[in-house]
Coordinates of all heavy atoms in Angstrom, one line a residue:
M944 N -153.8 16.2 67.1 CA -152.8 15.7 68.2 C -152.8 14.2 68.2 O -153.8 13.6 68.0 CB -153.3 16.3 69.5 CG -152.2 16.1 70.6 SD -152.8 16.8 72.2 CE -151.5 17.9 72.5
A945 N -151.7 13.6 68.4 CA -151.5 12.2 68.3 C -151.7 11.5 69.7 O -150.9 10.8 70.2 CB -150.1 11.9 67.8
G946 N -152.8 11.9 70.4 CA -153.1 11.3 71.7 C -152.8 12.3 72.8 O -152.2 13.3 72.5
P947 N -153.2 11.9 74.0 CA -153.0 12.8 75.1 C -151.5 12.9 75.5 O -150.7 12.0 75.4 CB -153.8 12.2 76.2 CG -153.9 10.7 75.9 CD -153.8 10.7 74.4
S948 N -151.1 14.1 76.0 CA -149.8 14.2 76.6 C -149.7 13.5 77.9 O -150.7 13.2 78.6 CB -149.5 15.7 76.8 OG -149.4 16.4 75.6
E949 N -148.5 13.1 78.2 CA -148.3 12.4 79.5 C -147.1 13.0 80.2 O -146.3 13.7 79.6 CB -148.2 10.9 79.3 CG -147.0 10.5 78.4 CD -147.0 9.0 78.2 OE1 -148.1 8.4 77.9 OE2 -145.9 8.4 78.2
Q950 N -146.9 12.6 81.4 CA -145.8 13.1 82.2 C -145.0 11.8 82.6 O -145.6 10.8 83.0 CB -146.2 13.8 83.5 CG -145.1 14.2 84.4 CD -145.5 14.8 85.7 OE1 -145.5 14.2 86.7 NE2 -145.9 16.1 85.6
R951 N -143.7 11.9 82.5 CA -142.8 10.9 82.9 C -141.9 11.5 84.0 O -141.3 12.5 83.9 CB -141.9 10.4 81.8 CG -142.6 9.9 80.6 CD -142.8 8.5 80.5 NE -143.5 8.2 79.2 CZ -142.9 7.6 78.2 NH1 -141.7 7.3 78.2 NH2 -143.7 7.4 77.1
R952 N -141.9 10.8 85.2 CA -140.9 11.1 86.2 C -139.9 10.0 86.3 O -140.3 8.8 86.5 CB -141.6 11.2 87.6 CG -140.6 11.5 88.7 CD -141.3 11.5 90.1 NE -140.3 11.8 91.1 CZ -139.6 10.9 91.8 NH1 -139.7 9.6 91.6 NH2 -138.7 11.3 92.7
V953 N -138.7 10.4 85.9 CA -137.6 9.4 85.9 C -136.5 9.7 86.9 O -136.1 10.9 86.9 CB -137.0 9.3 84.4 CG1 -136.0 8.2 84.3 CG2 -138.1 9.2 83.4
T954 N -136.1 8.8 87.7 CA -135.0 9.0 88.5 C -133.8 8.1 88.0 O -134.0 6.9 87.7 CB -135.3 8.7 90.0 OG1 -135.8 7.4 90.1 CG2 -136.2 9.7 90.6
Y955 N -132.7 8.7 87.9 CA -131.5 8.1 87.4 C -130.5 7.9 88.5 O -130.3 8.9 89.3 CB -130.8 8.9 86.3 CG -131.6 9.1 85.1 CD1 -132.4 10.2 84.9 CD2 -131.7 8.1 84.1 CE1 -133.1 10.4 83.7 CE2 -132.4 8.3 82.9 CZ -133.2 9.4 82.8 OH -133.9 9.6 81.6
S956 N -129.9 6.8 88.6 CA -128.8 6.6 89.6 C -127.6 6.1 88.9 O -127.6 5.6 87.8 CB -129.2 5.6 90.7 OG -129.5 4.3 90.2
G957 N -126.4 6.1 89.6 CA -125.2 5.8 89.0 C -124.2 7.0 89.1 O -124.3 7.8 90.1
H958 N -123.4 7.2 88.1 CA -122.5 8.3 88.1 C -123.1 9.4 87.3 O -122.8 9.7 86.2 CB -121.1 7.9 87.5 CG -120.1 9.0 87.7 ND1 -119.7 9.5 88.9 CD2 -119.3 9.6 86.7 CE1 -118.8 10.5 88.6 NE2 -118.5 10.5 87.3
V959 N -124.2 10.0 87.9 CA -125.0 11.0 87.2 C -124.9 12.4 87.7 O -125.6 13.3 87.2 CB -126.5 10.5 87.1 CG1 -126.6 9.3 86.3 CG2 -127.0 10.3 88.5
Q960 N -124.2 12.7 88.8 CA -124.0 14.0 89.2 C -122.5 14.4 89.0 O -121.6 13.5 89.2 CB -124.4 14.2 90.7 CG -125.9 14.1 90.9 CD -126.3 14.5 92.3 OE1 -125.5 15.1 93.1 NE2 -127.5 14.2 92.6
G961 N -122.3 15.6 88.7 CA -120.9 16.1 88.4 C -120.3 15.7 87.0 O -119.2 15.8 86.8
V962 N -121.2 15.2 86.2 CA -120.8 14.8 84.8 C -121.5 15.6 83.7 O -121.5 15.2 82.6 CB -121.0 13.3 84.6 CG1 -120.1 12.5 85.5 CG2 -122.5 12.9 84.8
G963 N -122.2 16.7 84.1 CA -122.9 17.6 83.1 C -124.2 17.0 82.7 O -124.8 17.4 81.7
F964 N -124.7 16.1 83.5 CA -126.0 15.4 83.2 C -127.2 16.4 83.0 O -127.9 16.3 82.0 CB -126.4 14.4 84.3 CG -127.4 13.4 84.0 CD1 -127.1 12.2 83.6 CD2 -128.8 13.8 84.1 CE1 -128.1 11.2 83.2 CE2 -129.8 12.9 83.7 CZ -129.4 11.6 83.3
R965 N -127.3 17.3 84.0 CA -128.5 18.3 83.9 C -128.3 19.2 82.6 O -129.3 19.4 81.9 CB -128.6 19.1 85.1 CG -129.0 18.3 86.4 CD -128.9 19.1 87.6 NE -127.5 19.6 87.8 CZ -127.2 20.7 88.5 NH1 -128.1 21.3 89.2 NH2 -126.0 21.0 88.7
Y966 N -127.1 19.7 82.4 CA -126.9 20.6 81.3 C -127.1 19.9 80.0 O -127.7 20.4 79.0 CB -125.6 21.3 81.4 CG -125.6 22.2 82.6 CD1 -125.0 21.8 83.8 CD2 -126.1 23.5 82.6 CE1 -125.0 22.5 85.0 CE2 -126.1 24.3 83.8 CZ -125.6 23.8 84.9 OH -125.6 24.6 86.1
T967 N -126.5 18.7 79.9 CA -126.7 18.0 78.6 C -128.1 17.6 78.4 O -128.6 17.7 77.2 CB -125.8 16.7 78.7 OG1 -124.4 17.1 78.9 CG2 -125.9 15.9 77.4
T968 N -128.8 17.2 79.4 CA -130.2 16.8 79.3 C -131.1 18.0 78.8 O -131.9 17.9 78.0 CB -130.8 16.2 80.6 OG1 -130.0 15.0 80.9 CG2 -132.2 15.9 80.6
R969 N -130.8 19.2 79.4 CA -131.5 20.4 79.0 C -131.2 20.6 77.5 O -132.1 21.0 76.7 CB -131.1 21.6 79.8 CG -131.9 22.8 79.4 CD -131.4 24.1 80.1 NE -130.0 24.3 79.7 CZ -129.2 25.1 80.4 NH1 -129.7 25.8 81.4 NH2 -128.0 25.3 80.0
N970 N -130.0 20.5 77.1 CA -129.7 20.7 75.7 C -130.3 19.7 74.8 O -130.8 20.0 73.7 CB -128.1 20.7 75.5 CG -127.5 21.9 76.1 OD1 -128.1 22.9 76.3 ND2 -126.2 21.8 76.3
L971 N -130.3 18.4 75.2 CA -131.0 17.4 74.4 C -132.5 17.7 74.3 O -133.1 17.5 73.2 CB -130.8 16.0 75.0 CG -129.4 15.4 75.0 CD1 -129.4 14.1 75.8 CD2 -129.0 15.2 73.6
A972 N -133.1 18.2 75.4 CA -134.5 18.5 75.4 C -134.9 19.5 74.3 O -136.0 19.5 73.8 CB -135.0 19.0 76.7
S973 N -134.0 20.4 73.9 CA -134.3 21.4 72.9 C -134.6 20.8 71.6 O -135.2 21.5 70.7 CB -133.2 22.4 72.9 OG -132.0 21.9 72.4
S974 N -134.2 19.6 71.3 CA -134.4 18.9 70.0 C -135.7 18.2 70.0 O -136.1 17.6 69.0 CB -133.3 17.9 69.8 OG -132.0 18.6 69.7
F975 N -136.4 18.2 71.1 CA -137.7 17.4 71.3 C -138.8 18.4 71.7 O -138.5 19.4 72.4 CB -137.5 16.3 72.3 CG -136.5 15.3 71.8 CD1 -135.2 15.4 72.2 CD2 -136.9 14.2 71.0 CE1 -134.2 14.4 71.8 CE2 -135.9 13.3 70.6 CZ -134.6 13.4 71.0
D976 N -140.0 18.0 71.5 CA -141.2 18.8 71.9 C -141.6 18.3 73.3 O -142.6 17.6 73.5 CB -142.3 18.6 70.9 CG -143.5 19.5 71.2 OD1 -143.3 20.5 72.0 OD2 -144.6 19.3 70.6
V977 N -140.8 18.6 74.3 CA -141.0 18.2 75.7 C -140.8 19.5 76.6 O -140.1 20.4 76.3 CB -140.1 17.1 76.1 CG1 -140.3 15.8 75.3 CG2 -138.6 17.5 76.1
T978 N -141.5 19.4 77.7 CA -141.3 20.4 78.8 C -141.1 19.7 80.1 O -141.3 18.5 80.2 CB -142.6 21.3 78.9 OG1 -143.7 20.4 79.2 CG2 -142.9 22.0 77.6
G979 N -140.6 20.5 81.1 CA -140.4 19.9 82.4 C -139.1 20.4 83.0 O -138.7 21.5 82.7
Y980 N -138.4 19.5 83.7 CA -137.2 19.9 84.4 C -136.3 18.7 84.7 O -136.8 17.6 84.7 CB -137.4 20.8 85.6 CG -138.1 20.0 86.8 CD1 -137.3 19.3 87.7 CD2 -139.5 20.1 86.9 CE1 -138.0 18.6 88.7 CE2 -140.1 19.4 88.0 CZ -139.3 18.7 88.9 OH -139.9 18.0 89.9
V981 N -135.1 19.0 85.1 CA -134.1 18.0 85.6 C -133.4 18.7 86.8 O -133.1 19.8 86.8 CB -133.1 17.6 84.5 CG1 -132.3 18.8 84.0 CG2 -132.3 16.4 84.9
K982 N -133.2 17.9 87.8 CA -132.5 18.4 89.0 C -131.8 17.3 89.7 O -132.2 16.1 89.7 CB -133.5 19.1 89.9 CG -134.4 18.2 90.7 CD -135.2 19.1 91.7 CE -135.8 18.3 92.8 NZ -136.5 19.1 93.8
N983 N -130.8 17.7 90.4 CA -130.0 16.7 91.3 C -130.8 16.5 92.6 O -131.4 17.4 93.1 CB -128.7 17.3 91.7 CG -127.7 17.2 90.6 OD1 -127.9 16.5 89.6 ND2 -126.6 18.0 90.7
L984 N -130.8 15.3 93.1 CA -131.4 14.9 94.4 C -130.3 14.8 95.4 O -129.2 14.5 95.1 CB -132.2 13.7 94.3 CG -133.4 13.7 93.3 CD1 -134.1 12.3 93.2 CD2 -134.4 14.7 93.7
H985 N -130.6 15.0 96.7 CA -129.6 15.0 97.7 C -129.0 13.6 97.9 O -127.9 13.5 98.4 CB -130.2 15.4 99.0 CG -130.7 16.9 99.0 ND1 -129.8 17.9 98.9 CD2 -131.9 17.4 99.0 CE1 -130.5 19.1 98.9 NE2 -131.8 18.8 98.9
D986 N -129.6 12.5 97.4 CA -129.1 11.2 97.6 C -128.2 10.8 96.5 O -127.8 9.6 96.4 CB -130.2 10.2 97.8 CG -131.2 10.1 96.6 OD1 -130.9 10.7 95.6 OD2 -132.2 9.3 96.7
G987 N -127.9 11.7 95.6 CA -126.9 11.4 94.5 C -127.6 11.0 93.2 O -127.0 10.8 92.2
R988 N -128.9 10.8 93.2 CA -129.7 10.6 92.0 C -130.0 11.9 91.3 O -129.9 12.9 91.8 CB -131.0 9.8 92.3 CG -130.7 8.4 92.8 CD -132.0 7.7 93.2 NE -132.8 8.5 94.1 CZ -134.1 8.4 94.3 NH1 -134.8 7.6 93.5 NH2 -134.7 9.2 95.2
V989 N -130.5 11.7 90.0 CA -131.0 12.9 89.3 C -132.5 12.6 89.0 O -132.9 11.5 88.6 CB -130.2 13.1 88.0 CG1 -130.9 14.1 87.1 CG2 -128.8 13.5 88.3
E990 N -133.3 13.6 89.2 CA -134.8 13.5 88.9 C -135.1 14.3 87.6 O -134.6 15.4 87.4 CB -135.6 14.0 90.0 CG -137.1 14.0 89.7 CD -137.9 14.8 90.8 OE1 -137.6 15.9 91.0 OE2 -138.8 14.1 91.3
L991 N -135.8 13.6 86.7 CA -136.3 14.3 85.5 C -137.8 14.2 85.4 O -138.4 13.1 85.7 CB -135.7 13.6 84.3 CG -136.2 14.1 82.9 CD1 -135.0 14.1 81.9 CD2 -137.2 13.1 82.3
I992 N -138.5 15.3 85.2 CA -139.9 15.4 84.9 C -140.0 15.9 83.5 O -139.6 17.0 83.2 CB -140.6 16.3 85.9 CG1 -140.4 15.9 87.4 CG2 -142.1 16.4 85.5 CD1 -141.2 14.7 87.8
A993 N -140.7 15.1 82.7 CA -140.8 15.5 81.3 C -142.3 15.3 80.8 O -142.9 14.3 81.2 CB -139.9 14.8 80.3
E994 N -142.8 16.2 80.1 CA -144.2 16.1 79.6 C -144.2 16.3 78.1 O -143.4 17.1 77.5 CB -145.1 17.2 80.2 CG -145.3 16.9 81.7 CD -146.4 17.8 82.3 OE1 -146.9 18.7 81.7 OE2 -146.7 17.5 83.5
G995 N -145.0 15.5 77.4 CA -145.2 15.6 76.0 C -145.9 14.4 75.5 O -146.5 13.6 76.3
L996 N -146.0 14.2 74.2 CA -146.6 13.0 73.6 C -145.7 11.8 73.8 O -144.5 11.9 73.8 CB -146.9 13.2 72.1 CG -147.9 14.4 71.8 CD1 -148.0 14.5 70.3 CD2 -149.2 14.1 72.4
S997 N -146.3 10.7 74.0 CA -145.6 9.4 74.3 C -144.4 9.2 73.3 O -143.3 8.9 73.8 CB -146.5 8.3 74.4 OG -145.8 7.1 74.7
P998 N -144.6 9.2 72.0 CA -143.5 8.9 71.1 C -142.3 9.9 71.3 O -141.1 9.5 71.2 CB -144.1 9.1 69.7 CG -145.6 8.9 69.9 CD -145.8 9.4 71.3
E999 N -142.6 11.2 71.5 CA -141.6 12.2 71.7 C -140.8 11.9 73.0 O -139.6 12.0 73.0 CB -142.3 13.6 71.7 CG -141.3 14.7 71.5 CD -140.9 14.9 70.1 OE1 -141.4 14.2 69.1 OE2 -140.0 15.8 69.8
L1000 N -141.5 11.6 74.1 CA -140.9 11.3 75.3 C -140.0 10.0 75.2 O -138.9 10.0 75.7 CB -141.9 11.0 76.4 CG -142.7 12.3 76.9 CD1 -143.9 11.9 77.7 CD2 -141.8 13.3 77.6
N1001 N -140.5 9.0 74.5 CA -139.7 7.8 74.3 C -138.4 8.1 73.6 O -137.3 7.6 74.0 CB -140.5 6.8 73.4 CG -141.7 6.2 74.2 OD1 -141.7 6.2 75.4 ND2 -142.6 5.6 73.4
E1002 N -138.4 9.0 72.6 CA -137.2 9.3 71.8 C -136.3 10.2 72.7 O -135.0 10.0 72.7 CB -137.5 10.1 70.5 CG -138.0 9.2 69.5 CD -137.0 8.2 69.0 OE1 -135.8 8.5 68.8 OE2 -137.4 7.0 68.9
F1003 N -136.8 11.1 73.4 CA -136.0 12.0 74.3 C -135.3 11.1 75.4 O -134.1 11.2 75.6 CB -136.9 13.0 75.0 CG -136.3 13.9 76.0 CD1 -135.1 14.5 75.8 CD2 -136.9 14.1 77.2 CE1 -134.5 15.3 76.8 CE2 -136.4 14.9 78.2 CZ -135.2 15.5 78.0
L1004 N -136.0 10.2 76.0 CA -135.4 9.4 77.1 C -134.4 8.4 76.5 O -133.4 8.1 77.1 CB -136.5 8.7 77.9 CG -137.5 9.6 78.6 CD1 -138.6 8.9 79.3 CD2 -136.7 10.5 79.6
A1005 N -134.7 7.9 75.3 CA -133.7 7.0 74.7 C -132.4 7.8 74.3 O -131.3 7.2 74.5 CB -134.3 6.4 73.4
E1006 N -132.5 9.0 74.0 CA -131.4 9.8 73.7 C -130.5 10.1 74.9 O -129.3 10.0 74.9 CB -131.8 11.1 73.0 CG -130.6 12.0 72.5 CD -129.8 11.3 71.4 OE1 -130.4 10.4 70.6 OE2 -128.6 11.6 71.3
I1007 N -131.2 10.3 76.0 CA -130.5 10.5 77.3 C -129.8 9.2 77.6 O -128.6 9.2 78.0 CB -131.5 10.8 78.5 CG1 -132.0 12.2 78.2 CG2 -130.8 10.7 79.8 CD1 -133.2 12.6 79.1
R1008 N -130.4 8.0 77.5 CA -129.8 6.7 77.8 C -128.6 6.5 76.9 O -127.6 6.0 77.3 CB -130.8 5.6 77.5 CG -131.6 5.3 78.7 CD -132.5 4.0 78.5 NE -133.9 4.4 78.9 CZ -134.9 4.7 78.1 NH1 -134.8 4.5 76.8 NH2 -136.0 5.0 78.6
R1009 N -128.7 6.9 75.6 CA -127.6 6.7 74.7 C -126.4 7.6 75.1 O -125.2 7.1 75.1 CB -128.0 7.0 73.2 CG -128.7 5.9 72.5 CD -128.8 6.2 71.0 NE -129.7 7.3 70.7 CZ -131.0 7.1 70.6 NH1 -131.6 5.9 70.8 NH2 -131.8 8.2 70.3
H1010 N -126.7 8.8 75.4 CA -125.7 9.8 75.7 C -124.9 9.4 77.0 O -123.7 9.6 77.2 CB -126.2 11.2 75.8 CG -125.2 12.2 75.7 ND1 -124.7 12.7 74.6 CD2 -124.5 12.8 76.7 CE1 -123.8 13.6 74.8 NE2 -123.6 13.7 76.1
F1011 N -125.7 8.9 78.0 CA -125.1 8.6 79.3 C -125.0 7.1 79.6 O -125.1 6.7 80.8 CB -125.9 9.3 80.4 CG -125.7 10.8 80.4 CD1 -126.7 11.6 79.9 CD2 -124.5 11.4 80.9 CE1 -126.5 13.0 79.9 CE2 -124.3 12.8 80.9 CZ -125.3 13.6 80.4
A1012 N -124.8 6.3 78.6 CA -124.8 4.9 78.8 C -123.8 4.4 79.8 O -124.0 3.5 80.5 CB -124.5 4.2 77.4
G1013 N -122.6 5.1 79.9 CA -121.6 4.7 80.8 C -121.8 5.2 82.2 O -121.2 4.7 83.2
Q1014 N -122.7 6.1 82.4 CA -123.0 6.7 83.7 C -124.2 6.2 84.4 O -124.3 6.1 85.6 CB -123.0 8.2 83.6 CG -121.7 8.9 83.5 CD -121.2 9.1 82.1 OE1 -122.0 9.0 81.1 NE2 -120.0 9.3 81.9
I1015 N -125.3 5.9 83.7 CA -126.5 5.5 84.3 C -126.4 4.0 84.7 O -126.2 3.2 83.9 CB -127.7 5.7 83.3 CG1 -127.9 7.2 83.0 CG2 -129.0 5.1 83.9 CD1 -128.9 7.4 81.9
R1016 N -126.6 3.8 86.0 CA -126.7 2.4 86.5 C -128.1 1.9 86.5 O -128.3 0.7 86.3 CB -126.0 2.3 87.9 CG -125.9 0.9 88.4 CD -125.2 0.9 89.8 NE -126.1 1.4 90.8 CZ -125.9 2.5 91.5 NH1 -124.8 3.1 91.4 NH2 -126.8 2.9 92.4
D1017 N -129.0 2.8 86.9 CA -130.4 2.3 87.0 C -131.3 3.5 86.8 O -130.9 4.7 87.0 CB -130.6 1.8 88.4 CG -132.0 1.1 88.6 OD1 -132.4 0.4 87.6 OD2 -132.6 1.2 89.6
E1018 N -132.5 3.2 86.3 CA -133.5 4.3 86.2 C -134.9 3.7 86.5 O -135.1 2.5 86.3 CB -133.5 4.9 84.8 CG -134.0 4.0 83.7 CD -134.0 4.7 82.3 OE1 -132.9 4.8 81.7 OE2 -135.1 5.1 81.9
S1019 N -135.7 4.6 87.1 CA -137.0 4.2 87.5 C -138.0 5.2 86.9 O -137.7 6.4 87.1 CB -137.1 4.2 89.1 OG -138.4 4.1 89.5
T1020 N -139.1 4.8 86.3 CA -140.0 5.7 85.6 C -141.4 5.5 86.1 O -141.9 4.4 86.3 CB -140.0 5.4 84.1 OG1 -138.6 5.4 83.6 CG2 -140.8 6.3 83.3
D1021 N -142.1 6.6 86.4 CA -143.5 6.7 86.7 C -144.2 7.4 85.6 O -143.7 8.5 85.2 CB -143.8 7.4 88.0 CG -143.3 6.6 89.2 OD1 -143.4 5.3 89.2 OD2 -142.8 7.2 90.2
I1022 N -145.3 6.9 85.1 CA -146.0 7.6 84.0 C -147.4 8.0 84.5 O -148.1 7.3 85.2 CB -146.2 6.7 82.8 CG1 -144.9 6.2 82.3 CG2 -147.0 7.4 81.7 CD1 -145.0 5.2 81.2
R1023 N -147.7 9.3 84.3 CA -149.1 9.8 84.7 C -149.5 10.8 83.7 O -148.7 11.2 82.8 CB -149.0 10.4 86.1 CG -147.9 11.5 86.2 CD -147.7 11.9 87.7 NE -147.2 10.8 88.4 CZ -146.3 10.9 89.4 NH1 -145.9 12.0 89.8 NH2 -145.9 9.8 90.1
P1024 N -150.8 11.3 83.7 CA -151.2 12.3 82.8 C -150.4 13.6 83.0 O -150.0 13.9 84.1 CB -152.7 12.5 83.2 CG -153.1 11.3 83.9 CD -151.9 10.8 84.6
A1025 N -150.2 14.3 81.9 CA -149.5 15.6 81.9 C -150.2 16.6 82.8 O -151.5 16.6 82.8 CB -149.3 16.1 80.5
S1026 N -149.5 17.4 83.5 CA -150.1 18.4 84.3 C -150.3 19.7 83.5 O -151.1 20.6 83.9 CB -149.2 18.7 85.5 OG -148.0 19.3 85.1
G1027 N -149.5 19.9 82.5 CA -149.6 21.2 81.7 C -149.0 22.4 82.4 O -149.1 23.5 82.0
Q1028 N -148.2 22.1 83.5 CA -147.7 23.3 84.3 C -146.4 23.8 83.8 O -145.9 24.8 84.3 CB -147.6 22.8 85.7 CG -146.5 21.7 86.0 CD -146.4 21.3 87.4 OE1 -146.5 22.1 88.3 NE2 -146.3 20.0 87.6
F1029 N -145.8 23.2 82.8 CA -144.4 23.6 82.3 C -144.5 24.3 81.0 O -145.2 23.9 80.1 CB -143.5 22.4 82.2 CG -143.4 21.6 83.5 CD1 -144.0 20.3 83.5 CD2 -142.8 22.1 84.6 CE1 -143.9 19.5 84.7 CE2 -142.8 21.3 85.8 CZ -143.3 20.1 85.8
D1030 N -143.7 25.4 80.9 CA -143.7 26.1 79.6 C -142.4 25.8 78.8 O -142.4 26.1 77.6 CB -143.6 27.7 79.9 CG -144.9 28.1 80.5 OD1 -146.0 27.6 80.2 OD2 -144.8 29.1 81.3
A1031 N -141.4 25.2 79.4 CA -140.2 24.9 78.8 C -139.5 23.8 79.5 O -140.1 23.2 80.5 CB -139.2 26.1 78.8
F1032 N -138.3 23.4 79.1 CA -137.5 22.4 79.8 C -136.4 23.1 80.5 O -135.6 23.8 79.8 CB -137.1 21.3 78.9 CG -136.5 20.1 79.7 CD1 -137.4 19.0 80.1 CD2 -135.2 20.0 80.1 CE1 -137.0 18.0 80.8 CE2 -134.8 18.9 80.9 CZ -135.6 17.9 81.2
E1033 N -136.2 22.9 81.8 CA -135.2 23.7 82.5 C -134.5 22.9 83.5 O -134.9 21.8 83.9 CB -135.9 24.9 83.2 CG -136.9 24.4 84.3 CD -137.7 25.6 84.9 OE1 -137.8 26.7 84.3 OE2 -138.2 25.4 86.0
I1034 N -133.4 23.5 84.1 CA -132.7 22.9 85.2 C -133.2 23.5 86.5 O -133.4 24.7 86.5 CB -131.2 23.2 85.0 CG1 -130.6 22.5 83.8 CG2 -130.4 22.8 86.3 CD1 -129.2 22.9 83.5
R1035 N -133.5 22.7 87.4 CA -133.9 23.2 88.7 C -132.8 22.9 89.8 O -132.1 21.9 89.6 CB -135.2 22.6 89.2 CG -136.4 23.2 88.4 CD -137.7 22.9 89.0 NE -138.8 23.5 88.2 CZ -140.0 23.3 88.4 NH1 -140.4 22.4 89.4 NH2 -141.0 23.8 87.6
H1036 N -132.7 23.7 90.8 CA -131.7 23.5 91.8 C -132.4 23.3 93.1 O -133.5 23.6 93.4 CB -130.8 24.7 91.9 CG -130.1 25.0 90.6 ND1 -129.0 24.3 90.2 CD2 -130.4 25.8 89.6 CE1 -128.6 24.8 89.0 NE2 -129.4 25.7 88.6

């Protein structure tokens, strides 16, 4: 293994709800070795929790940024050790 897994909690703001953000993010996740979820927040932001190895997470999050470059206004990221509680990457409601 290339180091310990970690968890990233990312909140995105901008025009990120009603644009297929959650479904596209779930589809993008299938190309990466990551687990977790994405969900809309009541304040208009989107929350993403992803776990995996740091290089894999970096690529996954970069792909989200590339895909939604016109919609994401701001993002905030917290990094912590992985919890290991996720079996897949899913949409939560």
